[in-house]
Amino acid sequence: MTETKIALVGNPNVGKSTVFNKLTGLRQKAGNYPGITVEKKTGSFTYQHTKYQLIDLPGAYGIHPSSLDEEIVYEVLVDKNNPNHPELVVVVGDPFNLKRSALLYQQIREIGLPAIFVVNMIDEAERAGISIDVDRLEKVLSTKVVLTDARSGKGIDSLKAALQYKPNGYTPAFSIPDEYAAVTQQVKEQLAPANDYIAWLYLSQKRSKHLDATASSEISAIRQENQINYHRLQIHETMARHSTLDRQLANVLKDPAKKRENLTARLDDLLIHPVWGYVVFFALLMLIFQAIYTWSGPFMDAIDNAFAWLAASAGERLPDGPLNGLLTDGIIAGIGGIVIFIPQIAILFVFISLMEESGYMSRVVYLMDRWLRPFGLSGKSAVPLMSGAACAIPAVMSARTIENDKERLITILVTPFMTCSARLPIYIIIIGLVIPQERFWGLDLQGLVLFGMYVLGILAALGSAWVLKQLMKTDYKSFLILEMPTYKYPVVRNVLLNVWDKTMGFILGAGKIILAISVILWVLGSFGVDDRFTNAEDIVRTERPELSDEALENEVQSQQLEYSFLGTMGRFIEPAITPLGYDWKMGIGLISSFAAREVFVSTMATVYSLGGTDDELTIRERMASEINPNTGRPAYNFASGISLLLFYAFAMQCMSTIAIVRRETNSWKWTLIQLTFMTGFAYLAALMAYQLLK
Amino acid sequence: MSQHQSINQLRKGETATIVGYLADEIPIKIYEMGLLPGVVLTLKRQAPFNGPVCIHIRDNPNAIALRRSEAALILIETLS
């Protein structure tokens, strides 16, 4: 059986991913392009004895990229050695923007790639009274044209059949302008690209990543020598193509009725109204928030119980010893720590996909741009920031759609300040301990403080974004040119596939690191060289003969933790955390919760010899009676409690976020700057709070 | 030719033709989106406090949002 590689290319909002999902069904997977983090979707299907490997390239308006996503399209299509370089391109367009899609199509043909053309959303066009002269369009584009309505599946079979079509006899629609002919020729001679148009692209692109350093510097030299501004070349080409296409496509669209659907206009009257638009948006945010907390609750409990049961039964069946501990407390607990986030991530992405699919997301960008711009962010940062209130990991991933490098980087760097759900268990316990259960102006004081913590997160995110904006420089001008498509009823299949992709991406990407860290932490917490570690049971038995068996076991565990490597580390950092009001036991909690914030609670349970309890009430009672050996006062008093709250609000206590930031920025430098900045800021804030309040 | 207006001077509901640009260095996306000389557009909405504007190109159901700073780069002649 032969195998053919196909690339799906098209403008945003033409229903390209619906076409992709219809063609491949469930035989698809998400991955990353090598070296960068733009998501890659591939899939396969078989039709009449030919196996097709399909790649869904990011949406682009033309071959000249203005974002990381779009750069992929250029690289994959121009570089013959790219592993994803296709044998056939399927360009997807929509009837309302035929000219734009045809422009991209012509660029692809002129690169030298065979391509066929799909006009999708044909039903919507018919409803609007538009008809398309397919014969004429086929003549203009010199290829096969297929009309589809991917939502209903209409035309998908004709599209599959059309993949056998061998386009030929294409005449370039764009000829290199005379004034640039000589310099294009020079590029052609020096770099030997396949044709004149690729030479022109080398000259007119900001960069061509697939070229080596020598070739790139040759291009810069040629540009400098001839005083060529690549941006102007792009504009020249785009305008020339548009005016040619205006003539070519003049009679392709028949648009007699001029019936326009006005549902979108009526919805927009409400959804992007200067007042009501914001009311609806914030109401929706509240709904998402509530959903992430409440709907995920039962699932998270079930997962928690399942893993506790798994660990317990595995623990019983295996012989005692380090292997047992590694499996139950290291590996099973580690995997549990990954799986527990799935409900929240899935729910968040259900909402995000619904907003994207329906066309509402672009309205959010429109509404929020004005308010985020002063902080060096764009309207498109609204999505990562609000998702950060659930979990920073999917939030950081969702920053990919931001074109401007600087805005994207700032968004990624500040998103972890938003109060994610993992901070909640700590906040609830500490607030319960140190904030009195009183009413303040008729409002519950503890609830108010919790709300305050959320506000603090937003302020920290926006404030540090503003600081970063002042410090960072960029060659790119920030801009917002955003298409707001007509509203569409979401395709359930697309939503589900997207949720599945994102969830798997989290499990496979960040999950590995979470697992590794929990194993490392287990090793640190389970081994030690001190005599009080190795002979813990004998020592406790002699020192405290009065203890019952269970109390003895808990006491032994507690002492072993104290003298394990982790405990040694906790005592080692004690001088650094004493000014913040913490003792070495809390130090252990800080270190172990570096993996993930919520680990703090379970670690404190072990430290306070409560065995493996996760019950918040038990832990809270025990914590309330704990005395800090350095000060002789309760360990969790008002000052140290506030200090702890502030520390967890600002510190980057999440290995998974660090991992995902590293992946998304592709830079250790920015990842480390973020880690240092957040943890340093957290330390100072906690220090000031404790010193002022104690 | 008289001093040209930009999209920024349009009032809600007004229709105009694009006649050119204020500067050379404008984002390629403006061209790719089809905001080209000769194109007829209508200003549909404005986000509050100098937020983005929302325009419609004639015969296209999709809207385009632009920041004021981009809107200022696109020169127009109003049709009345």
Side-chain angles (χ1 to χ4, degrees), chain A residues 61-64 66 70 96-97 99-100 229 231-232 234-235 238-239 242 255 258 260 265 268-269 272 274 278 366 369-371 373 377-379 403 407 478-486, chain B residues 12 21 23-37 39 44-70 73:
Chain A
Y61 290 104
I63 202 74
H64 303 288
S66 33
E70 293 177 15
F96 303 100
N97 294 290
K99 195 166 73 167
R100 271 187 346 206
N229 175 336
H231 191 81
R232 250 177 236 164
Q234 296 183 0
I235 294 172
T238 312
M239 303 226 352
H242 265 286
D255 196 355
K258 293 247 187 303
R260 287 281 181 255
D268 273 343
D269 282 342
I272 53 177
Y278 291 96
Y366 170 82
D369 187 70
R370 161 74 188 87
W371 308 105
R373 216 178 44 215
L377 301 165
S378 109
E403 288 107 348
E407 286 171 351
S478 152
F479 63 83
L480 180 83
I481 301 156
L482 176 80
E483 188 169 30
M484 301 204 285
T486 51
Chain B
K12 200 172 155 182
Y21 308 99
D24 286 345
E25 298 285 308
I26 75 173
I28 186 74
K29 225 168 171 179
I30 286 187
Y31 301 91
E32 288 177 341
M33 283 278 194
L35 293 169
L36 296 156
V39 163
K44 289 284 183 184
R45 287 164 220 280
Q46 294 162 316
F49 298 97
N50 255 332
V53 294
C54 169
I55 55 173
H56 269 264
I57 294 182
R58 192 170 64 187
D59 287 345
N60 193 319
N62 294 356
I64 296 174
L66 296 171
R67 275 187 196 154
R68 300 277 174 166
S69 46
E70 276 89 57
L73 296 173

Side-chain angles (χ1 to χ4, degrees), chain A residues 529-581:
Chain A
V529 285
D530 197 285
D531 185 48
R532 292 186 79 91
F533 180 89
T534 42
N535 290 321
E537 194 166 342
D538 295 340
I539 294 172
V540 174
R541 220 184 272 281
T542 15
E543 283 177 1
R544 318 250 325 250
E546 79 286 358
L547 288 175
S548 70
D549 276 359
E550 198 191 343
L552 178 80
E553 197 184 317
N554 285 341
E555 191 58 38
V556 169
Q557 261 187 13
S558 162
Q559 186 181 308
Q560 281 195 321
L561 184 58
E562 183 178 345
Y563 289 95
S564 67
F565 293 119
L566 194 62
T568 315
M569 286 163 78
R571 273 172 303 165
F572 177 74
I573 66 162
E574 194 173 24
I577 57 174
T578 306
L580 310 188

Side-chain angles (χ1 to χ4, degrees), chain A residues 107 123 180 268 479 521 560 589:
Chain A
Q107 289 176 322
D123 280 15
Y180 299 113
D268 273 343
F479 63 83
L521 281 174
Q560 281 195 321

